[in-house]
Amino acid sequence: MNVSAAHNRTDHRQERIDLAAAFRWAARLNLHEAVANHFSLSINDDGSRFLMNPNQMHFSRIRASDLIVVDANDAATLSGPDAPDPTAWGLHGELHRHCKHARCAMHVHSIFATVLAALADSRLPPIDQNCATFFNRHVIDDSYGGLAFEDEGERCAALLSDPRHKVMIMGNHGVMVIGDGVADTFNRLFYFERAAETYIRALQTGQKLRVLPDDVAEKTARELETYPDQADRHLSELKEILDAEGADYAE
């Protein structure tokens, strides 16, 4: 199976619409980097087939019908029309292949997450509620080895094998966020960037940080994980705004 055979522009319509909305908002919030970043969403049970943005298409232009279907188990994916570039294939393909819990994956070089990834100590301490969201729930990749072709992608996937870890701070690179769907993953991406910004700006004051005790940080993280419908409502509101503006993301 290749991309052209797998790519029906009307299949998985709601998933396409949701993912297209996430691309549009990532662009609006300046979370993307030109045409270099990628989101993916699994559309079969084992996660091996997934929707992804076309190669080098700007997030602000992506529509639901533009999304391609790729197969993590079929290297012919790379020869299809609008096929993802080899780094996207290597990173997302290996992630979906090895981490079945990663139904959606969003990789960006957003400013503050990337600043965090550039620090010798890339841990995110729980200095506020947003930062506490990620307490014991992020991992750090300390072994950047160049562009994420297949070997690099497999190594990165291994770091997210524990379902408790939903964010990977990619040292010298950026961030990878995973979740069980578009709303869950985009909501996490949004709050991680906000948390990273708070931390970086707090460091810039040069003053001592007010770090929450571990038990309070863990309690806060658990409470936020079970907060009802927040991620779904977040994405729903973003789509309402796009619709009111007459955006063509759902086409």
Side-chain angles (χ1 to χ4, degrees):
M1 178 177 62
N2 57 32
V3 172
S4 59
H7 184 196
N8 181 330
R9 292 176 182 267
T10 62
D11 64 355
H12 305 286
R13 176 160 174 74
Q14 191 57 56
E15 292 92 336
R16 289 174 174 274
I17 290 172
D18 288 351
L19 195 55
F23 281 117
R24 295 296 180 97
W25 274 95
R28 186 170 298 197
L29 298 176
N30 198 30
L31 301 179
H32 64 312
E33 184 166 78
V35 294
N37 296 158
H38 308 89
F39 294 175
S40 58
L41 176 66
S42 297
I43 55 173
N44 67 342
D45 289 342
D46 69 4
S48 61
R49 296 183 66 235
F50 50 90
L51 297 170
M52 177 173 268
N53 44 311
N55 188 23
Q56 299 187 52
M57 186 174 189
H58 199 277
F59 280 17
S60 66
R61 297 182 54 240
I62 292 176
R63 301 169 301 172
S65 59
D66 292 319
L67 299 173
I68 61 173
V69 176
V70 297
D71 188 334
N73 296 316
D74 185 2
T77 289
L78 291 174
S79 63
D82 294 324
D85 65 54
T87 62
W89 161 253
L91 187 57
H92 289 257
E94 293 301 313
L95 180 60
H96 287 297
R97 190 203 313 272
H98 295 291
C99 301
K100 307 307 181 188
H101 55 279
R103 301 298 298 175
C104 185
M106 297 184 177
H107 169 55
V108 295
H109 303 162
S110 53
I111 295 170
F112 290 98
T114 304
V115 170
L116 183 60
L119 300 180
D121 182 353
S122 293
R123 290 174 295 179
L124 180 68
I127 63 169
D128 79 331
Q129 181 170 291
N130 287 344
C131 293
T133 302
F134 304 98
F135 182 73
N136 284 338
R137 286 154 178 81
H138 65 275
V139 294
I140 300 168
D141 174 19
D142 287 323
S143 303
Y144 177 76
L147 297 184
F149 296 113
E150 288 191 27
D151 289 346
E152 183 78 354
E154 185 173 0
R155 184 186 61 74
C156 288
L159 293 172
L160 288 170
S161 60
D162 184 340
R164 295 175 301 172
H165 298 147
K166 300 295 180 64
V167 175
M168 177 169 60
I169 300 166
M170 306 174 74
N172 308 106
H173 188 170
V175 65
M176 172 66 80
V177 179
I178 63 173
D180 58 17
V182 174
D184 176 53
T185 310
F186 184 79
N187 192 62
R188 185 170 294 112
L189 173 64
F190 173 86
Y191 279 104
F192 188 80
E193 180 68 8
R194 290 293 294 268
E197 179 176 2
T198 297
Y199 177 51
I200 297 303
R201 291 187 183 276
L203 289 178
Q204 289 172 337
T205 69
Q207 297 190 46
K208 185 176 180 179
L209 299 178
R210 185 193 297 270
V211 181
L212 290 169
D214 287 0
D215 60 334
V216 176
E218 178 62 29
K219 178 178 181 288
T220 303
R222 289 180 180 176
E223 289 171 342
L224 289 168
E225 283 176 335
T226 58
Y227 197 85
D229 303 323
Q230 202 270 340
D232 290 334
R233 289 300 303 157
H234 184 188
L235 182 63
S236 178
E237 286 296 301
L238 299 183
K239 290 188 291 184
E240 289 284 350
I241 296 170
L242 289 169
D243 290 340
E245 294 174 347
D248 62 355
Y249 74 102
E251 294 180 1

